[in-house]
C-alpha cells in the first residue's frame, strides 16, 4: 500500500451511489485501481459488484459520486464513453459473432477502410497478426469464431479490448466455462497484460484463483465497501467472513437418518463428455441430500443424468441395485421425478392451466385407454390445490399467471401424483418469496419423511444448510466433499466450492 | 476450409454432375441456344434469390418477393402501354415501387417487432392485391394486354445470344459479392444474422440494417418483374406467384443458411443455376411441371441436413479439443 500511495491511481470511483426503485444498491462506494494492478472485486450475489461495473461501463447512470481516470473527472454515459476512457469489459457470455473471422470480429464496427468503401482486409489482418504475435495467443486471424474453443474465443475478446487501447480490462467470471488447463493459460495471459502495464478488474466466484492472482481485493457487502485487502494480507477465511458479514456459527438442527431398509440411489463414477468426471455418491430414503458447487461444477448435469435427460459415457446409476433407464420417460415410470432449474421454460407449459400441467406427466395413471379423463385430472388438481395450498385456488388459471412460489408448487404437484422413489430438485426456490420458500421446504421434507429420496441442487448456501441432511460438494465435475450437515457453516461451503477447507471444519 | 467454401464447392459439384448427366443423356443440352435460354430463366429466379439472400443472411426471411415481382411487372406493363414515359424512367419507377414495398416490410419487422415470416407473409397478400387493382379491365373483366412497345421489349433481347437480363444478373452477382465481402455494410449484415444481440451491442444500428436488407430484396424483385414483362410481353395476375419459394430454395442450395449469417451471392448464383437446370432437365425426362415442387422440397431437406451435420461436427470438435486440453494440460 505504501508504494501505491505514491502513485496516481488509474481509476478512482469516489462515493458512488445508485438506487433502483425501492432499494439503494450502492451506498457511497469508493474503489480504485492502480496501473498494472490486478484488482478483484468480491461479494455475494446482490452485493453490488455488477451494478458498480455497469456504472463504470456506461450501462447505468450514477446517482451520486464521481469517476476519475488518472485523477481527472470523466463522465461515462455510454459504452462508447467507456471505450474512449480506456475501459473494456470481457463478459461472461461472449459477445462475438460466430460466423465471422477473428479479424472481422476484432474490428467489428471499427473497420479499416481504404478509398472510402472498400475494407482494408490486409491492414486489419496484419494488425491482428501482430497482436497475436506479441501476446502469444494460439489463434489465427482467419479462424472462424465458431470453430474455436471457448478459451480461444476469450483471447479474441481480449484482443478486441486491446485494439481499443484499453488501459483497464474488466473480466467478469472469465473462467466460468473453462477447464483447469484453459484457466491456467488465461491466467498467464492476464499476467502478460499486467506486464504490459494494463490494469485488470477481476470478478470470480472461484476464491483460489482470486487469492492467487490479485494484487488487491475490494470486498462489497450490501452496497458498501467492507474491506480493501492487500495481497500480503489476504486471509481466505477472513475474506469469506467479510463477504458474508456473519460470524462463523452453525445452527443446530434436527438431522434425519436414512430409513432402515429404505431405497438407496447409488451414483458411481459418473462421467459425461463435457463436464462430469467420475462423480460418486449415495442418497438414501428419508434424507434430503444437498448438492452444492459453483456454476459449472456439474450440479445440474448430475441431476439430468439421473433423470435420463443427459447421456453419460461412464459410470452407473442404480436404484436399489437396479440400473436406472437412460431415458426420462422410462425414468419417470421407474419412480424418478425432476423439478428443473428454470420452471418457466422447463417445468411448466405456461399457457396451459394448472389442471393440464399436473396431468401432463401422469396420463398413464389418468386413463388406460386412448381417451383421457378430464374429470380425473380435475379431481387430482383440486386435491393438489388443497394439499399444497396453491393460490389462487382456481384449477383453470393459466400457470403463467401464478406467482413463482405457486408455480413451483404446481411443478411439485405433478410429481406428488406418482409413487415417487427419487425426487430431484434443481434450485427449488429461485425467485420465490420467504413464506412460499418455507412451504416448499416442508413439502420436500414430507416427501423424504414418507420414504422418498430427495436430492436438492442449489447455488444458495443458506438453503443447502437449512434443508439438507447431507451435502455433497462438486468442484469441476468431481466430488470434492461428502459431508454430514453438522456444524457446517456457509463459510465452509464457500471455501469448499473453491477447493479449500477451513481448519477444524466437520468432515 | 471455411464452411462457406465447402458449401459452395458442394453446390458447384452437384451442378456439374447434373449438367454432365443431362448433357450426355439428352440431345441439345450443351448447345449455345439451350444454355442461354436456361440462363435467361435463371436470371429471373437469380435476381429474386440474390436480393432475398441479403434478408436471409441478415437473419430474416422475405416471403413477399414473388408478389413484389408481380406488382412491378404490372406497373411496368401499364406504364409502357398507357404513358409515353422514357423506358429508363419506367424502370426507375418500378424499382422505386419495389423500394417502397421493401421499406414497408422492413418497418413492420424492425419498428413494429413483427416476425419476418408473418410480416412478409401478410404484405405478400397486400402487394398481390395491388396487382389485381392495377390489372386491365375490359367490360369489368380482367384481361391481359400484350406490351408491344419495341423499345421496351428490346430489354428482353440478347446480344450474341446472351440475354441482357443475364448480363445484368451477372454484373449484380459481382456487385453484391463485393458489397457483402468487402464493405462494412456487408460485414454488418453477416454480424446481424449471426448474432443480432452482439451486433447491436457493438454499436451497429440493427433496425436500419434490417430495413435496408428488405429494400435490397424488393428492389431486385422489382427489377426481375421488369425483365419478365420485357421477355414475355405481358404481366398477369399470377406473375411471380410461387417464385418466392423457388428463390428461397435456390438460396439454400447455394449455401445461404436459413438461420442467418452464412453464404454469399456467388453461391446463390450457383444454386439458382442448379435449380433451373435440374427442373428443366427433369422436364425433359418427363417429370410434369406440377411435380417440380417435389424437387424443391427434397433439395431443401438435403441441404438443411448438410448444414445440421456441419454444426454438429463443429460442436463435437470443440468438446474434443476441450478434453485434449485438459488431459495434456495446455495448448488450448
Amino acid at each position: 500500500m505504501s508504494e501505491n500511495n505514491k502513485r496516481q491511481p488509474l481509476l478512482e470511483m469516489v462515493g458512488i451511489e445508485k438506487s433502483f426503485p425501492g432499494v439503494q444498491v450502492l451506498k457511497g462506494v469508493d474503489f480504485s485501481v492502480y496501473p498494472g494492478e490486478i484488482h478483484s472485486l468480491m461479494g455475494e450475489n446482490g452485493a453490488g459488484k455488477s451494478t458498480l461495473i455497469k456504472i463504470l461501463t456506461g450501462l447505468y447512470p450514477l446517482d451520486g459520486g464521481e469517476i476519475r481516470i488518472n485523477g481527472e473527472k470523466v463522465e461515462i454515459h455510454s459504452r462508447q464513453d467507456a471505450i474512449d476512457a480506456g475501459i473494456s469489459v470481457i463478459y461472461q457470455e461472449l459477445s462475438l459473432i460466430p460466423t465471422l473471422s477473428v479479424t472481422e470480429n476484432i474490428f467489428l464496427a471499427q473497420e479499416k477502410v481504404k478509398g472510402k468503401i472498400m475494407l482494408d482486409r490486409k491492414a486489419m489482418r496484419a494488425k491482428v497478426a501482430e497482436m497475436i504475435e506479441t501476446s502469444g495467443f494460439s489463434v489465427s486471424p482467419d479462424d472462424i469464431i465458431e470453430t474455436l474453443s471457448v478459451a480461444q474465443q476469450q483471447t479474441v475478446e481480449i484482443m478486441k479490448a486491446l485494439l481499443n487501447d484499453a488501459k483497464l480490462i474488466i473480466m467478469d467470471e472469465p473462467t466460468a466455462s473453462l477447464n483447469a488447463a484453459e484457466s491456467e493459460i488465461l491466467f498467464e495471459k492476464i499476467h502478460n497484460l499486467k506486464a504490459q502495464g494494463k490494469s485488470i478488474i477481476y470478478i470470480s466466484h472461484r476464491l483460489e484463483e482470486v487469492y492467487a492472482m490479485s494484487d488487491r481485493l475490494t470486498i462489497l457487502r450490501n452496497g458498501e465497501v467492507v474491506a480493501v485487502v492487500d495481497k500480503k494480507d489476504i486471509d481466505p477465511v477472513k475474506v469469506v467472513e467479510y463477504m458474508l458479514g456473519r460470524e462463523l456459527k452453525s445452527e443446530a438442527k434436527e438431522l434425519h437418518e436414512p430409513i432402515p431398509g429404505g431405497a438407496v440411489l447409488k451414483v458411481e463414477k459418473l462421467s459425461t463428455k463435457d463436464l462430469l468426471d467420475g462423480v460418486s455418491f449415495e442418497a438414501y430414503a428419508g434424507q434430503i441430500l444437498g448438492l452444492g458447487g459453483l456454476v459449472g461444477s456439474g450440479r445440474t448435469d448430475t441431476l439430468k443424468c439421473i433423470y435420463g435427460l443427459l447421456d453419460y459415457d461412464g459410470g452407473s446409476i442404480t436404484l436399489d441395485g437396479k440400473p436406472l433407464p437412460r431415458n426420462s420417460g422410462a425414468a419417470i415410470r421407474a419412480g424418478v421425478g425432476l423439478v428443473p432449474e428454470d420452471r418457466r421454460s422447463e417445468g411448466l407449459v405456461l399457457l396451459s392451466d394448472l389442471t393440464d400441467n399436473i396431468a401432463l406427466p401422469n396420463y398413464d395413471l389418468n386413463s388406460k385407454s386412448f381417451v383421457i379423463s378430464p374429470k380425473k385430472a380435475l379431481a387430482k388438481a383440486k386435491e393438489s390445490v388443497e394439499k399444497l395450498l396453491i393460490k389462487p385456488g382456481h384449477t383453470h388459471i393459466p400457470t403463467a399467471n401464478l406467482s413463482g412460489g405457486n408455480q413451483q408448487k404446481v411443478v411439485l404437484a405433478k410429481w406428488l401424483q406418482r409413487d415417487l422413489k427419487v425426487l430431484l430438485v434443481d434450485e427449488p426456490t429461485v425467485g420465490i418469496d420467504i413464506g412460499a420458500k418455507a412451504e416448499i421446504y416442508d413439502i420436500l421434507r414430507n416427501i423424504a419423511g414418507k420414504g422418498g429420496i430427495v436430492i436438492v441442487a442449489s447455488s444458495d448456501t443458506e438453503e443447502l444448510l437449512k434443508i439438507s441432511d447431507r451435502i455433497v460438494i462438486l468442484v469441476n465435475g468431481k466430488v470434492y466433499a461428502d459431508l454430514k450437515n453438522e456444524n457446517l457453516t456457509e463459510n465452509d461451503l464457500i471455501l469448499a466450492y473453491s477447493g479449500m477447507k477451513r481448519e477444524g471444519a466437520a468432515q | 476450409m471455411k464452411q462457406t467454401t465447402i458449401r459452395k464447392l458442394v453446390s458447384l459439384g452437384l451442378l456439374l454432375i447434373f449438367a454432365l448427366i443431362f448433357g450426355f443423356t439428352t440431345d441439345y443440352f450443351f448447345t449455345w441456344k439451350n444454355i442461354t435460354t436456361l440462363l435467361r430463366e435463371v436470371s429471373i429466379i437469380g435476381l429474386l434469390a440474390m436480393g432475398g439472400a441479403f434478408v436471409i443472411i441478415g437473419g430474416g426471411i422475405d416471403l413477399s418477393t414473388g408478389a413484389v415481382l408481380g406488382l412491378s411487372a404490372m406497373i411496368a406493363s401499364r406504364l409502357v402501354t398507357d404513358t409515353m414515359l422514357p423506358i429508363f424512367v419506367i424502370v426507375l419507377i418500378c424499382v422505386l415501387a419495389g423500394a417502397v414495398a421493401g421499406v414497408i416490410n422492413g418497418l413492420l419487422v424492425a419498428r413494429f417487432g413483427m416476425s419476418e415470416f408473418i410480416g412478409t407473409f401478410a404484405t405478400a397478400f397486400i402487394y398481390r392485391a395491388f396487382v389485381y387493382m392495377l390489372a386491365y379491365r375490359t367490360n369489368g373483366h380482367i384481361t391481359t394486354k400484350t406490351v408491344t412497345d419495341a423499345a421496351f421489349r428490346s430489354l428482353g433481347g440478347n446480344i450474341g445470344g446472351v440475354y441482357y437480363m443475364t448480363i445484368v444478373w451477372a454484373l449484380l452477382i459481382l456487385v453484391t459479392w463485393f458489397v457483402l465481402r468487402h464493405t462494412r455494410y456487408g460485414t454488418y449484415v453477416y454480424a446481424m444474422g449471426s448474432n443480432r444481440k452482439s451486433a447491436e451491442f457493438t454499436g451497429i444500428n440493427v433496425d436500419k440494417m434490417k430495413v435496408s436488407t428488405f429494400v435490397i430484396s424488393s428492389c431486385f424483385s422489382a427489377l426481375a418483374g421488369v425483365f419478365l414483362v420485357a421477355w414475355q410481353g405481358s404481366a398477369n395476375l399470377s406473375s411471380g406467384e410461387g417464385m418466392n419459394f423457388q428463390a428461397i430454395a435456390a438460396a439454400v442450395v447455394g449455401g445461404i443458411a436459413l438461420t442467418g449469417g452464412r453464404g454469399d451471392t456467388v453461391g446463390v448464383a450457383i444454386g439458382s443455376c442448379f435449380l433451373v437446370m435440374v427442373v428443366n432437365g427433369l422436364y425433359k425426362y418427363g417429370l410434369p411441371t406440377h411435380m417440380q415442387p417435389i424437387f424443391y422440397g427434397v433439395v431443401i431437406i438435403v441441404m438443411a441436413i448438410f448444414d445440421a451435420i456441419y454444426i454438429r461436427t463443429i460442436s463435437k470438435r470443440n468438446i474434443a479439443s476441450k478434453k485434449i486440453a485438459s488431459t495434456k494440460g495446455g495448448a488450448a
Side-chain angles (χ1 to χ4, degrees):
Chain A
M1 193 61 109
S2 56
E3 189 199 333
N4 278 338
N5 278 341
K6 288 179 222 144
R7 289 195 291 160
Q8 169 78 43
L10 170 70
L11 167 77
E12 288 167 282
M13 296 179 85
V14 186
I16 302 294
E17 292 187 15
K18 177 74 195 171
S19 298
F20 292 114
V23 245
Q24 191 171 6
V25 192
L26 296 177
K27 305 163 186 162
V29 168
D30 294 333
F31 178 61
S32 68
V33 181
Y34 289 96
E37 181 186 40
I38 300 175
H39 194 137
S40 284
L41 198 52
M42 303 186 69
E44 281 194 294
N45 291 337
K49 286 173 301 185
S50 33
T51 310
L52 192 68
I53 296 304
K54 281 179 177 156
I55 286 174
L56 184 56
T57 50
L59 293 177
Y60 290 160
L62 44 75
D63 295 345
E66 63 178 55
I67 303 174
R68 295 185 208 130
I69 300 280
N70 290 324
E72 275 175 49
K73 187 175 175 201
V74 290
E75 300 281 340
I76 298 177
H77 299 298
S78 69
R79 215 176 88 84
Q80 195 54 47
D81 288 348
I83 290 174
D84 294 344
I87 301 168
S88 274
V89 197
I90 290 159
Y91 284 99
Q92 225 166 319
E93 66 265 40
L94 303 167
S95 61
L96 301 172
I97 309 288
T99 57
L100 292 184
S101 74
V102 170
T103 305
E104 284 166 330
N105 265 285
I106 291 173
F107 277 93
L108 191 63
Q110 44 191 341
E111 291 84 358
K112 284 190 185 181
V113 177
K114 59 183 175 195
K116 289 212 169 136
I117 355 176
M118 191 156 164
L119 294 178
D120 193 348
R121 286 185 174 274
K122 227 172 154 186
M124 291 193 281
R125 196 183 179 286
K127 173 74 192 165
V128 172
E130 182 199 312
M131 280 198 281
I132 291 172
E133 181 79 36
T134 44
S135 305
F137 293 141
S138 61
V139 290
S140 137
D142 302 320
D143 284 342
I144 302 293
I145 295 299
E146 64 187 358
T147 64
L148 300 177
S149 69
V150 180
Q152 286 173 314
Q153 292 184 18
Q154 222 156 31
T155 63
V156 179
E157 290 266 11
I158 294 175
M159 282 193 276
K160 237 179 135 166
L162 291 178
L163 181 73
N164 286 323
D165 203 20
K167 294 178 189 70
L168 177 65
I169 299 173
I170 302 165
M171 298 190 178
D172 190 355
E173 294 284 355
T175 53
S177 45
L178 302 186
N179 63 34
E182 288 173 328
S183 299
E184 267 324 304
I185 295 169
L186 178 72
F187 300 150
E188 230 180 274
K189 305 288 179 246
I190 293 175
H191 282 294
N192 206 334
L193 291 172
K194 177 185 150 102
Q196 292 173 37
K198 310 284 182 195
S199 305
I200 315 279
I201 297 178
Y202 195 81
I203 300 173
S204 173
H205 279 101
R206 302 189 177 181
L207 302 180
E208 83 284 14
E209 56 188 45
V210 169
Y211 295 153
M213 243 182 10
S214 315
D215 297 316
R216 276 198 301 160
L217 313 174
T218 291
I219 302 157
L220 291 175
R221 192 204 319 146
N222 296 330
E224 283 170 289
V225 175
V226 284
V228 180
V229 188
D230 272 9
K231 187 177 188 86
K232 59 179 182 342
D233 302 325
I234 292 175
D235 171 351
V237 178
K238 212 43 191 234
V239 171
V240 175
E241 272 180 44
Y242 279 134
M243 277 166 58
L244 298 173
R246 289 180 280 264
E247 286 270 318
L248 283 172
K249 235 190 265 158
S250 66
E251 287 174 48
K253 56 189 142 313
E254 187 197 351
L255 291 186
H256 302 78
E257 291 299 321
I259 292 175
V264 183
L265 178 80
K266 215 179 250 186
V267 174
E268 272 174 309
K269 301 210 174 89
L270 192 64
S271 297
T272 59
K273 276 203 297 277
D274 42 353
L275 188 54
L276 301 185
D277 190 5
V279 171
S280 303
F281 61 84
E282 287 178 13
Y284 308 104
Q287 279 194 324
I288 297 180
L289 175 71
L291 213 50
L294 296 176
V295 172
S297 59
R299 291 182 319 229
T300 299
D301 286 23
T302 305
L303 294 190
K304 284 189 171 165
C305 283
I306 301 174
Y307 188 59
L309 213 53
L310 188 68
D311 204 18
Y312 47 96
D313 28 47
S316 67
I317 301 171
T318 53
L319 181 59
D320 282 336
K322 271 184 280 179
L324 276 179
R326 294 182 169 205
N327 150 329
S328 54
I332 290 174
R333 284 189 290 279
V336 184
L338 171 72
V339 177
E341 185 174 3
D342 185 351
R343 75 184 83 90
R344 296 182 64 85
S345 72
E346 298 174 321
L348 293 169
V349 182
L350 284 179
L351 292 179
S352 297
D353 62 20
L354 180 157
T355 310
D356 288 345
N357 267 288
I358 292 177
L360 192 56
N362 299 314
Y363 281 123
D364 54 335
L365 308 176
N366 175 291
S367 153
K368 293 240 179 315
S369 71
F370 185 69
V371 183
I372 57 168
S373 156
K375 236 192 198 159
K376 269 194 212 165
L378 192 61
K380 288 284 182 196
K382 279 192 176 143
E383 195 187 303
S384 304
V385 167
E386 275 166 33
K387 246 202 247 166
L388 305 183
L389 307 172
I390 299 172
K391 280 172 225 139
H394 196 303
T395 46
H396 286 299
I397 195 165
T399 44
N401 300 350
L402 295 176
S403 71
N406 285 299
Q407 285 181 343
Q408 192 69 308
K409 285 185 193 170
V410 174
V411 180
L412 284 165
K414 294 200 297 193
W415 300 121
L416 290 175
Q417 310 301 315
R418 310 189 70 89
D419 179 22
L420 211 59
K421 296 199 182 74
V422 183
L423 181 67
L424 311 165
V425 192
D426 202 356
E427 300 289 357
T429 60
V430 168
I432 291 177
D433 64 84
I434 294 178
K437 258 187 194 181
E439 291 178 60
I440 286 176
Y441 295 154
D442 283 345
I443 296 171
L444 295 179
R445 178 81 267 157
N446 261 329
I447 296 171
K450 283 184 187 147
I453 298 171
V454 179
I455 304 181
V456 175
S458 175
S459 56
D460 182 348
T461 43
E462 219 180 315
E463 174 167 280
L464 281 181
L465 289 172
K466 196 175 172 102
I467 61 172
S468 315
D469 299 308
R470 265 172 54 232
I471 299 178
V472 167
I473 293 168
L474 298 176
V475 177
N476 288 328
K478 294 189 184 84
V479 173
Y480 175 74
D482 189 337
L483 309 167
K484 206 166 186 189
N485 188 8
E486 239 172 6
N487 306 322
L488 283 178
T489 64
E490 276 186 70
N491 304 37
D492 295 328
L493 295 190
I494 290 174
L495 288 169
Y497 288 178
S498 295
M500 290 186 250
K501 278 183 189 132
R502 178 170 63 91
E503 271 174 52
Q507 233 340 295
Chain B
M1 209 176 351
K2 281 188 193 174
Q3 187 263 357
T4 21
T5 321
I6 304 173
R7 204 51 177 59
K8 232 179 305 184
L9 288 179
V10 170
S11 319
L12 193 61
L14 282 175
L15 178 70
L16 292 178
I17 291 169
F18 274 86
L20 287 176
I21 294 174
F22 292 137
F24 285 112
T25 55
T26 59
D27 296 334
Y28 313 119
F29 188 82
F30 279 133
T31 59
W32 183 239
K33 177 137 183 38
N34 189 43
I35 290 172
T36 53
T37 313
L38 277 181
L39 280 177
R40 174 168 64 180
E41 217 171 306
V42 169
S43 310
I44 301 291
I45 287 293
L47 280 171
L48 247 60
M50 198 190 294
F54 274 78
V55 177
I56 304 177
I57 293 172
I61 189 97
D62 187 351
L63 298 180
S64 72
T65 53
V68 172
L69 183 151
L71 181 60
S72 157
M74 190 55 84
I75 293 174
S77 91
R78 295 252 11 187
L79 289 179
V80 173
T81 322
D82 302 350
T83 70
M84 298 299 289
L85 289 173
I87 288 166
F88 79 92
V89 175
I90 292 175
V91 176
L92 205 69
I93 290 174
C94 288
V95 174
L96 273 179
V100 172
V103 169
I104 293 171
N105 285 342
L107 288 181
L108 282 179
V109 170
R111 187 59 62 79
F112 299 106
M114 215 171 268
S115 85
E116 269 98 350
F117 187 92
I118 298 293
T120 58
F121 189 55
T123 54
F125 285 117
I126 296 170
Y127 301 152
R128 183 59 67 188
F130 287 156
V131 181
Y132 282 79
M133 283 159 62
L134 288 173
Y136 284 101
R137 282 170 173 78
T138 321
N139 304 327
H141 295 287
I142 291 175
T143 48
T144 307
K145 217 173 204 176
T146 306
V147 177
T148 49
D149 185 287
F152 183 77
R153 292 299 302 273
S154 70
L155 278 180
N158 64 62
I159 176 162
V162 183
Y163 291 91
Y164 294 128
M165 62 186 83
T166 306
I167 296 170
V168 170
W169 170 65
L171 286 176
L172 284 173
I173 295 170
L174 293 181
V175 172
T176 52
W177 174 81
F178 179 84
V179 167
L180 283 174
R181 170 86 186 140
H182 286 292
T183 68
R184 287 184 171 199
Y185 177 80
T187 311
Y188 296 171
V189 174
Y190 284 105
M192 172 170 74
S194 183
N195 187 343
R196 189 191 159 119
K197 249 189 169 166
S198 295
E200 209 164 4
F201 197 71
T202 319
I204 295 169
N205 187 334
V206 192
D207 286 353
K208 238 183 182 165
M209 294 293 301
K210 198 102 246 183
V211 174
S212 74
T213 56
F214 278 107
V215 169
I216 291 173
S217 174
S218 293
C219 285
F220 278 41
S221 308
L223 195 59
V226 173
F227 279 124
L228 192 74
V229 177
W231 163 19
Q232 299 183 336
S234 67
N236 58 44
L237 294 181
S238 60
S239 293
E241 224 164 51
M243 276 195 193
N244 40 340
F245 291 112
Q246 293 170 24
I248 292 169
V252 170
V253 173
I256 303 284
L258 289 178
T259 43
R262 292 175 209 275
D264 62 24
T265 51
V266 174
V268 174
I270 296 171
S272 307
C273 290
F274 177 77
L275 213 67
V276 170
M277 183 191 76
V278 175
V279 166
N280 190 279
L282 290 178
Y283 180 71
K284 284 191 175 145
Y285 271 111
L287 184 81
T289 319
H290 49 265
M291 286 292 285
Q292 286 174 11
I294 232 182
F295 168 71
Y296 299 135
V298 170
V299 162
I300 291 178
I301 289 170
V302 169
M303 291 301 175
I305 289 174
F306 179 92
D307 291 341
I309 290 174
Y310 171 78
I311 286 171
R312 204 173 307 160
T313 330
I314 274 192
S315 60
K316 255 194 202 144
R317 204 168 57 186
N318 271 341
I319 288 164
S321 77
K322 230 175 148 179
K323 277 257 163 163
I324 292 165
S326 64
T327 48
K328 278 190 188 162

